[in-house]
């Protein structure tokens, strides 16, 4: 068995009494975070004795508590009881409560999701205190239930908890590294740090197979385009996360990798046949289930071959119950993607979505746009008999089993000492740097410009895109790259030119390049009409060698043909750990060991492949 890091009890006298009562009721004496042998039913935490104990808890719950257990909701503020006034105002406007504690008392929610923009994730100690406050509020309720606290900590371009926590390479970077042991280690470290700050359910890894280069919502969040390779990496990450005592979540079922529509703003339609789905999209989810995945997130996509009614998968009984539950044999927790996304709101109103989702087979309803509307709609559906109370209890049992498995009934609290022992430790940061060095991919190296010699190319200019940090704590990319080059003994100057440089930006970059020995350009999703192309061409025309570094999707090189760049690499994200690794590769302090996990197609003829899966140069 695996165990998460020890959690020191911080119960007040009242909360301690409540927690003791719950432990007595459940009879749970499992170690915090004990992980059952991989299967789809939850292993030892799904035993008949545990089921009987949990059903006794459910039998004592009011109907309002039962409905609330299915909801996982956002809330503004850094504190469960004393947020800033601006966050109180936001909570009142969106939820009708002042604080997280008030929301838990009013709606009995079973979980809370953290967001950076909701001011939940300032720093590790604050996050731990917030988590403890949320758990105290749960234990103070009528049934004294701990909460599942969750977040989207995919790493790479989706990251809610930033420095000083350890930031790992994202999925496609790990796919380029091709090391399942690295993927598992990244998951284990990330999971341990989340557990230390009280986050017990992570919405990662992404199990989508990114076969569409134009995919606007997945892209580098996917491990790659090969179903079997993605499946292996997903299984490794699941085992890594869950070995640290947190719940992992494979997403987005039944597969969001082949779409050109963003489900945040529209309703994508996947045209795969049933056979294509089985070959392309199913393998990673089967691998996750075989690895003992605790939860699976649904996708707000239409797949007519899987459901002729063309309901979003989140609301589709043929997909969630027929395929996921019955065909794939999964009996863990099913959580929706955010119910605030347009993809799930397009066909039905907000009051119908939670009812239809539960009828389809969902257990957790994530982040509805209006909690009051959704909560009351589901409550009314149960009272009217449209949704049976037994169906609600079926989901609650899965949720409580997961809380039992994670040790939350035994001790849901974390300590500041535990944070200091675990989060952002020297060994974790060193592991992140080592793993990142395995991912940087060298795609072009004309005249063997790289590795860049300090003797002949000491004076560097770093220009390019400076997108906002995924976690709000790193970057900007040009400054990060320049700082790392300085650490490596170069004289480097940073100049931000943006993702759409104007002519004035290009002129400034050209002027700054004069007298330099080389220019590094960070590119960000270059298109045929992007002025980033103009920037690279203008810099190359100065005669100074130009090195391009794709800091998001690795397809940029296809759009840079004819611009005159001398070398090109892919970093797969603009977080500091990946940028520093790319700088070390450029400088020859690390070998370029990454290989493309997706094909790069020709810009002038997408039917032809410019660089195949597995391509990558070395020194």
């Amino acid at each position: 068995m695996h165990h998460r890091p020890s959690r020191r009890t911080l119960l007040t006298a009242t909360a301690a009494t409540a927690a003791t009562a719950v432990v007595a009721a459940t009879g749970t004496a499992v170690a915090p975070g004990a992980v059952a042998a991989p299967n789809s039913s939850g292993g030892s935490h799904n035993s008949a004795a545990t089921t009987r104990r949990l059903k006794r808890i459910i039998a004592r719950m009011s109907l309002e508590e039962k409905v609330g257990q299915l909801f996982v909701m956002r809330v503004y503020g850094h504190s469960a009881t004393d947020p800033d006034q601006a966050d109180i105002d936001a909570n009142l406007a969106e939820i009708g409560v002042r604080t997280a504690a008030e929301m838990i008392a009013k709606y009995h929610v079973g979980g809370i999701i953290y967001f950076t923009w909701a001011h939940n994730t300032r720093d590790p100690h604050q996050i731990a205190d917030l988590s403890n406050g949320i758990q105290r509020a749960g234990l103070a309720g009528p049934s004294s239930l701990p909460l599942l606290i969750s977040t989207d900590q995919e790493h790479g371009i989706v990251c809610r908890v930033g420095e000083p926590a350890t930031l790992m390479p994202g999925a496609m970077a790990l796919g380029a590294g091709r090391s399942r042991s690295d993927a598992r280690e990244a998951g284990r470290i990330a999971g341990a740090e989340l557990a230390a700050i009280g986050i017990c359910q992570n919405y990662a890894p992404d199990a989508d197979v990114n076969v569409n280069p134009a995919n606007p919502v997945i892209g580098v969040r996917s491990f790659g385009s090969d179903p079997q390779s993605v499946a292996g990496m997903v299984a490794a990450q699941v085992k890594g996360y869950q070995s640290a005592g947190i719940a992992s979540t494979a997403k987005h079922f039944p597969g969001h990798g082949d779409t050109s529509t963003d489900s945040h703003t529209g309703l994508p339609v996947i045209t795969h046949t049933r056979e294509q789905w089985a070959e392309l999209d199913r393998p990673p989810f089967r691998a996750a289930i075989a690895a003992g995945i605790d939860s699976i997130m649904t996708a707000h996509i239409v797949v007519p071959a899987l459901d002729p009614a063309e309901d979003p998968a989140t609301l589709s009984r043929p997909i969630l119950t027929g395929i996921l539950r019955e065909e794939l044999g999964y009996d863990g927790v099913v959580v929706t993607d955010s119910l605030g996304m347009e993809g799930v709101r397009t066909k039905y109103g907000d009051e119908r979505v939670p009812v239809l989702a539960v009828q389809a087979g969902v257990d957790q309803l994530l982040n509805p746009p209006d909690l009051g509307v959704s909560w009351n709609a589901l409550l009314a559906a149960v009272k009217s008999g449209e949704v049976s109370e037994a169906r609600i209890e079926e989901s609650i049992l899965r949720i409580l089993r997961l809380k039992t498995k994670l040790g939350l009934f035994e001790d849901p609290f974390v300590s500041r000492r535990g944070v200091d022992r675990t989060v952002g430790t020297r060994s974790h940061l060193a592991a992140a740097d080592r793993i990142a060095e395995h991912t940087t991919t060298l795609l072009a190296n004309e005249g063997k410009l790289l590795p860049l010699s300090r003797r002949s190319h000491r004076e560097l200019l770093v220009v390019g895109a400076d997108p906002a940090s995924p976690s709000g704590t790193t970057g900007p990319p040009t400054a990060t790259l320049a700082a790392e080059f300085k650490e490596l003994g170069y004289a480097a100057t940073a100049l931000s030119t943006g993702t759409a440089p104007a002519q004035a930006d290009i002129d400034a970059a050209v002027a700054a390049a004069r007298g330099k020995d080389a220019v590094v350009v960070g590119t960000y999703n270059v298109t045929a009409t992007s002025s980033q192309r103009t920037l690279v061409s203008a810099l190359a025309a100065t005669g100074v060698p130009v090195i391009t570094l794709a800091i998001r999707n690795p397809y940029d090189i296809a759009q840079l043909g004819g611009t005159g760049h001398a070398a090109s690499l892919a970093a797969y994200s603009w977080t500091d750990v990946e940028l520093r690794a790319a700088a070390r590769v450029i400088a020859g302090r690390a070998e370029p060991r990454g290989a493309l996990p997706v094909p790069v197609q020709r810009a002038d003829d997408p039917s032809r492949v410019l660089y195949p899966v597995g391509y990558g140069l070395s020194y």
Side-chain angles (χ1 to χ4, degrees):
M1 282 197 170
H2 302 284
H3 303 278
R4 69 179 179 185
S6 172
R7 291 183 170 183
R8 180 172 145 201
T9 304
L10 301 176
L11 294 169
T12 61
T14 303
T17 302
T20 302
V22 173
V23 172
T26 63
T28 52
V30 295
V35 179
N39 59 57
S40 61
S41 58
S44 62
H45 299 287
N46 196 23
S47 69
T50 299
T51 297
R52 287 193 298 271
R53 291 163 186 150
L54 294 178
K55 283 185 174 180
R56 286 199 291 271
I57 294 177
I58 296 171
R60 293 195 293 269
M61 295 167 63
S62 68
L63 181 57
E64 289 77 10
E65 287 179 287
K66 291 177 181 178
V67 168
Q69 275 298 296
L70 273 61
F71 284 91
V72 180
M73 187 61 182
R74 71 189 178 277
V75 67
Y76 290 87
H78 70 287
S79 165
T81 56
D82 188 27
D84 295 338
Q85 187 61 49
D87 293 321
I88 291 174
D89 294 342
N91 286 328
L92 286 170
E94 294 187 19
I95 312 172
V97 298
R98 293 166 51 86
T99 67
E102 288 183 12
M103 182 177 71
I104 293 165
K106 181 175 182 179
Y107 290 106
H108 315 291
V109 295
I112 285 180
I113 180 173
Y114 288 168
F115 290 105
T116 306
W117 51 260
H119 310 141
N120 304 139
T121 57
R122 289 181 179 176
D123 64 74
H125 283 162
Q126 168 269 316
I127 299 170
D129 291 344
L130 173 61
S131 299
N132 286 337
I134 286 169
Q135 297 296 3
R136 287 192 189 95
L139 293 182
S143 294
S144 299
L145 296 175
L147 280 82
L148 283 169
I149 298 174
S150 61
T151 199
D152 294 284
Q153 189 79 347
E154 297 177 18
H155 292 270
I157 71 167
V158 176
C159 202
R160 312 300 187 202
V161 180
E163 293 182 347
T166 305
L167 299 181
M168 288 288 175
M172 192 170 284
L174 291 171
R178 298 166 293 173
S179 170
R180 294 182 185 180
S181 63
D182 279 356
R184 181 168 183 161
E185 179 73 352
R188 184 194 66 78
I189 291 171
E193 296 199 6
L194 290 176
I197 58 177
I199 296 174
C200 48
Q201 184 176 19
N202 188 22
Y203 299 135
D206 192 300
D208 301 310
V209 181
N210 199 73
V211 295
N212 188 340
N215 194 323
V217 65
I218 304 301
V220 292
R221 298 169 64 192
S222 163
F223 289 104
S225 63
D226 177 73
Q228 298 307 319
S229 296
V230 172
M233 299 299 279
V234 165
Q237 284 246 284
V238 168
K239 292 174 181 176
Y241 282 122
Q242 295 188 179
S243 72
I246 67 166
S248 178
T249 308
K251 60 187 185 185
H252 309 76
F253 190 83
H256 209 317
D258 189 8
T259 174
S260 57
T261 300
D262 187 342
S263 52
H264 291 85
T265 57
L267 179 57
V269 177
I270 307 293
T271 59
H272 291 178
T273 65
R274 180 65 183 254
E275 292 72 25
Q276 287 173 323
W277 172 80
E279 180 182 352
L280 292 173
D281 301 294
R282 183 177 64 183
F285 292 100
R286 292 187 68 172
I289 293 169
I293 187 75
D294 283 326
S295 51
I296 291 178
M297 179 179 285
T298 68
H300 305 325
I301 57 174
V302 168
V303 190
L306 303 185
D307 182 0
E310 299 193 7
D311 281 331
T314 298
L315 311 180
S316 170
R317 184 170 178 82
I319 291 175
L320 298 187
T321 296
I323 295 176
L324 182 57
R325 296 285 192 207
E326 296 172 0
E327 290 185 23
L328 299 184
Y330 179 66
D331 193 34
V333 171
V334 173
V335 56
T336 70
D337 205 343
S338 171
L339 297 182
M341 295 165 61
E342 285 303 312
V344 77
R345 303 175 74 189
T346 298
K347 192 172 181 179
Y348 303 98
D350 289 339
E351 71 284 353
R352 292 300 299 159
V353 165
V355 176
L356 295 173
V358 170
Q359 289 177 328
V362 159
D363 301 307
Q364 289 186 303
L365 300 159
L366 177 63
N367 199 30
D370 188 317
L371 178 59
V373 167
S374 296
W375 189 89
N376 283 300
L378 185 56
L379 181 65
V382 178
K383 287 181 175 179
S384 72
E386 183 182 6
V387 176
S388 71
E389 194 164 347
R391 169 65 192 87
I392 297 293
E393 292 177 353
E394 177 186 324
S395 286
I396 297 171
L397 183 58
R398 290 193 186 100
I399 293 166
L400 295 188
R401 281 175 181 159
L402 181 53
K403 291 180 180 182
T404 301
K405 175 183 176 182
L406 298 175
L408 296 177
F409 282 111
E410 182 179 271
D411 182 3
F413 296 93
V414 294
S415 70
R416 289 196 163 204
R417 183 179 177 188
V419 171
D420 293 337
R421 285 198 308 259
T422 308
V423 178
T425 63
R426 185 177 300 177
S427 64
H428 286 180
L429 295 172
D433 282 337
R434 174 185 57 78
I435 291 170
E437 284 183 354
H438 299 168
T439 69
T440 305
T441 307
L442 179 61
L443 298 174
N445 192 16
E446 297 297 327
K448 295 188 176 181
L449 173 67
L450 303 184
L452 209 59
S453 168
R454 280 184 298 168
R455 290 188 296 272
S456 58
H457 296 87
R458 184 176 180 275
E459 298 286 336
L460 305 182
L461 173 66
V462 181
V463 304
D466 271 339
S469 166
S471 65
T473 61
T474 63
T478 54
T480 298
L481 284 166
E484 185 66 14
F485 281 123
K486 288 178 182 177
E487 284 288 319
L488 297 171
Y490 296 83
T493 303
L495 176 65
S496 178
T497 50
T499 56
Q503 189 59 49
D505 300 312
I506 295 170
D507 292 343
V510 167
R514 295 193 181 99
K516 295 296 189 290
D517 299 317
V519 181
V520 178
V521 184
T523 64
Y524 183 99
N525 291 3
V526 180
T527 64
T529 58
S530 172
S531 56
Q532 293 180 74
R533 275 182 48 87
T534 309
L535 171 67
V536 174
S537 294
L539 288 167
T542 66
V544 178
V546 174
I547 303 157
T548 63
L549 175 66
I551 63 172
R552 187 164 180 166
N553 291 335
Y555 311 113
D556 289 1
I557 190 171
Q559 299 291 349
L560 294 174
T563 58
H565 66 284
S568 186
L569 306 93
Y572 307 99
S573 179
W574 60 96
T575 52
D576 286 11
V577 67
E578 288 166 289
L579 295 175
R580 289 196 307 265
R584 291 194 296 275
V585 168
I586 291 170
R589 299 296 182 88
E591 291 287 326
R593 295 173 56 180
L596 283 173
V598 293
V600 174
Q601 297 157 323
R602 287 181 52 156
D604 59 346
D605 184 0
S607 67
R608 298 175 63 184
V609 172
L610 185 63
Y611 298 104
V613 170
Y615 182 87
L617 301 176
S618 59
Y619 294 150

